[in-house]
Amino acid sequence: MRKVKIGVIGRGCRGSGLMETMALSDMYEFIVVCDKYEDRVEAGKKFVSEKLGYTPLGTTNYHDVLENSEVEAVLISCDWEMHLPIAIDAIKANKAVALEVGGA
């Protein structure tokens, strides 16, 4: 089965928990981990490295995730007020979007 190449935007409690759940499946490959806080980026990279045996890229700028040609889909779990702006930018960048909350 081909893995979906994911960019994670937001590594707070929800983003971390979602990454842990997704790591239990062999359906995903984490390409980029993004958060506005560098320590969360590093924690995400470390988690993937230890759990899955490879190290994704890391960034504090979500535009880097959207510009990465390997990323097919993004998981957005950042500050609630940024969900929709990032989702709209992701759609414009031709990425599939998963929001951890409703975007209506």
Side-chain angles (χ1 to χ4, degrees):
M1 173 187 288
R2 188 180 76 77
K3 295 182 180 192
V4 177
K5 296 180 178 189
I6 300 287
V8 177
I9 302 172
R11 271 279 304 165
C13 289
R14 289 184 176 156
S16 297
L18 290 168
M19 281 185 73
E20 289 175 16
T21 300
M22 292 170 73
L24 296 172
S25 169
D26 63 352
M27 295 175 54
Y28 309 102
E29 179 181 350
F30 296 103
I31 302 298
V32 185
V33 176
C34 174
D35 195 280
K36 65 182 178 180
Y37 300 108
E38 185 66 39
D39 61 323
R40 292 181 182 175
V41 172
E42 293 304 316
K45 289 170 54 179
K46 181 179 178 185
F47 167 78
V48 173
S49 177
E50 291 176 354
K51 182 77 174 175
L52 302 174
Y54 64 91
T55 304
L57 299 173
T59 183
T60 57
N61 184 340
Y62 80 88
H63 293 285
D64 295 339
V65 178
L66 303 182
E67 292 170 2
N68 187 306
S69 62
E70 284 190 80
V71 173
E72 299 171 320
V74 293
L75 169 64
I76 301 170
S77 57
C78 58
D79 302 335
W80 69 268
E81 66 273 1
M82 288 303 296
H83 277 75
L84 286 180
I86 294 173
I88 291 167
D89 287 347
I91 291 167
K92 288 179 180 177
N94 202 31
K95 309 295 183 191
V97 174
L99 296 172
E100 52 105 11
V101 296

